[in-house]
Amino acid sequence: MVLYKLEDFEPSYQESFDGHDIKGLGVYTQGTDEKVGTVSDILVDEEGHFRYLVVDLGFWIFGKKVLLPIGRARIDYNVDRVYTIGLTREQAEDLPEFSERQALDYDYEERVRGVYRQPTDYTPPVEASAPLDPLAAPVATPLATTPTYARDSYTYEHEPALYGLNEQDHQTLRLYEERLIASKRRQKTGEVTIGKHVETDTARVAVPVERERVVIERVTPADAGTAVSGREADFREGEVARIEIHEETPDVRKEAFLREEVRVRKVVDQETVETQETVRREELDVNSGNLPIEER
């Protein structure tokens, strides 16, 4: 049977005790209200069940730590105390000292259990369902002195007086209710893809151009019919004049320019969404018969 420190087994163990921390609580003897020491740690088994409180006996035996089975302890959060049930100073002196360097094997636990099995004035809690006889005197029932258990088959359930939670000594009832815890979960609803494509249009542009042409005019000069000299009359054959003809042709080229900017951004719209759920709440039912009951 392997034992673990509660903090190592469940780091957030305080949440199970409404924020209370057992470590650091003072340990007192039940009845005499004498302070024994302080809880320095809690040991649990492989399933997380409380098995021992590690008690620093600084008020009884300086510097000594011992194991207190959970069945021999009663935790009272109203006064932040732990009460030992049937533990005497003599037993505390006989208990083997607890050390984190020492292996908590079956033999060590048997030494611890052997001390708590010694007869004391410890009276087991009365079964809550058992009828009470007001005329009957309380009878102290000591623990068995020499119980016999097999090493291989021993379980903590064999000795409820040592490892039971003593529910009869803890009559605090807790009433619970449910409440709604609202949270938000971000989920993807879709996506917007933005791309570009190219469209083509036929653009028309008017370009004025010039073309040259030769115009030949034949006119009758004013001195037509007048005789000229032989030197002035130049009779020639072949090319007598050359005129270059030009024309303009349109020269069209394309040029890219910035037309507009498109800005893409996201905006968050907020709205309030109401939801409802059925919650439960515990209420206390008291059946006292004809007995007077005072509620505070």
Side-chain angles (χ1 to χ4, degrees), residues 8-205:
D8 296 337
F9 186 86
E10 178 53 62
S12 58
Y13 70 92
Q14 295 185 20
E15 297 179 1
S16 302
F17 299 95
D18 295 336
H20 294 289
D21 195 350
I22 302 177
K23 293 194 296 183
L25 295 184
V27 181
Y28 295 79
T29 58
Q30 183 170 267
T32 62
D33 208 29
E34 179 183 3
K35 187 165 186 178
V36 174
T38 306
V39 177
S40 64
D41 226 319
I42 304 98
L43 301 182
V44 299
D45 62 14
E46 295 174 329
E47 297 181 353
H49 297 139
F50 280 27
R51 294 311 179 191
Y52 296 100
L53 300 181
V54 180
V55 180
D56 186 343
L57 297 176
F59 284 80
W60 268 359
I61 307 171
F62 180 76
K64 183 177 183 180
K65 292 182 179 180
V66 298
L67 296 184
L68 176 65
I70 193 64
R72 302 297 292 271
R74 181 173 65 86
I75 304 171
D76 190 342
Y77 289 114
N78 295 323
V79 293
D80 289 335
R81 286 186 175 186
V82 175
Y83 291 98
T84 64
I85 302 173
L87 176 65
T88 65
R89 182 167 185 147
E90 290 74 17
Q91 285 179 318
E93 293 175 349
D94 293 339
L95 283 170
E97 184 172 357
F98 170 79
S99 174
E100 296 183 0
R101 296 183 298 272
Q102 182 175 359
L104 299 180
D105 54 12
Y106 177 84
D107 295 329
Y108 177 84
E109 288 191 75
E110 270 298 295
R111 292 171 56 196
V112 174
R113 287 189 285 262
V115 174
Y116 287 104
R117 290 167 184 157
Q118 296 175 8
T120 65
D121 56 355
Y122 164 65
T123 302
V126 179
E127 183 68 31
S129 60
L132 297 178
D133 185 358
L135 300 179
V139 178
T141 304
L143 296 174
T145 56
T146 56
T148 302
Y149 301 102
R151 173 189 294 267
D152 296 334
S153 61
Y154 179 86
T155 64
Y156 293 112
E157 286 71 20
H158 287 152
E159 295 186 272
L162 295 182
Y163 301 106
L165 288 180
N166 291 304
E167 294 297 336
Q168 295 85 355
D169 289 333
H170 300 273
Q171 293 296 326
T172 300
L173 300 180
R174 294 184 176 182
L175 303 180
Y176 298 91
E177 67 175 316
E178 296 176 326
R179 61 182 179 182
L180 296 181
I181 305 298
S183 61
K184 296 185 293 183
R185 177 169 53 89
R186 188 179 181 89
Q187 63 181 9
K188 180 179 178 180
T189 57
E191 62 183 8
V192 176
T193 302
I194 300 174
K196 296 192 301 181
H197 71 279
V198 178
E199 293 184 354
T200 59
D201 292 325
T202 301
R204 298 181 181 273
V205 60

